[in-house]
Amino acid sequence: MPLVFALEGPPCAGKSTVLGRIAEMDRARLAAGEAPRIVVVPEPVETWAEALRGVDSGEAGARLALQALAVQHYTRVAADIAELDPTARVVLERSPRATKVFALLHKQYDPTRAAAYDFVLSGLPDLDIAGYFELVVPPEAAAQRASERQQCGDNGWTADALRAYGAVFEAVFDGVPRTPLSGADTDATAESIVAAVLRTA
């Protein structure tokens, strides 16, 4: 099986941008005849757009629908990884473990559906993650980015909401080794991840 890594971090930290740069770097590596391949797996935000808009507008059931979509995403990802060349490396935008962070946050807004969240989460695949990278971004900076880009799902990410995310994230990831990265320099961050991923045997 390919080695699988995860790029974690709060909403609006720049994970998608870093993954895009890693994909560009890998295309250049492959064109130069270098191996192994690095496969990046971004979150399918466009597929989740309707649910994200529902979360932004406070629509009943939208948070639970988003959780179900996330579980479906990781189920497909697990199947796709099994089909890859075993020498490949995979870098996910967030891991299945991060889905549990969002579930705990969603339950605070939607406590009457707690059992439904638990049922949905029971379908998460058990992916073996070889290493976690974490973009560390101050809540104020991430909130500023959310207010500027105004993508689906960004409306609720104030600095206070991001601090709450951070607290739940630390609880869920307690004891899980992570490589912290600032993300301030996209190229340098991507290069660090690529180097670490290729080093891991």
Side-chain angles (χ1 to χ4, degrees), residues 5 8 23 75 101 105 130 136 156 158 176 191 198-199:
F5 301 82
E8 302 286 354
T75 300
V101 176
L105 289 168
V136 180
T158 63
V176 177
E191 287 167 4
L198 295 176
R199 251 194 332 264

Side-chain angles (χ1 to χ4, degrees), residues 144-180:
Q144 179 64 31
R145 181 176 294 178
S147 69
E148 289 171 355
R149 73 180 190 179
Q150 286 296 300
Q151 291 182 355
C152 291
D154 283 351
N155 288 0
W157 292 114
T158 63
D160 284 344
L162 286 158
R163 275 188 280 274
Y165 171 92
V168 174
F169 180 90
E170 288 302 326
V172 171
F173 280 80
D174 184 42
V176 177
R178 291 160 273 158
T179 301

Side-chain angles (χ1 to χ4, degrees), residues 52-91:
L52 286 166
R53 280 192 290 269
V55 170
D56 281 343
S57 64
E59 180 183 312
R63 293 176 183 275
L64 183 58
L66 183 58
Q67 289 290 153
L69 289 170
V71 171
Q72 291 170 14
H73 165 64
Y74 286 114
T75 300
R76 284 191 298 270
V77 166
D80 290 345
I81 289 172
E83 298 296 320
L84 290 173
D85 184 313
T87 65
R89 305 290 194 269
V90 179
V91 183

Side-chain angles (χ1 to χ4, degrees), residues 114 122 175:
S122 70

Side-chain angles (χ1 to χ4, degrees), residues 1 74-75 78 96-97 100 121-129 132:
M1 285 287 286
Y74 286 114
T75 300
R97 182 182 289 268
K100 299 174 183 177
L121 284 178
S122 70
L124 269 175
D126 185 21
L127 285 176
D128 184 17
I129 307 295
Y132 290 89

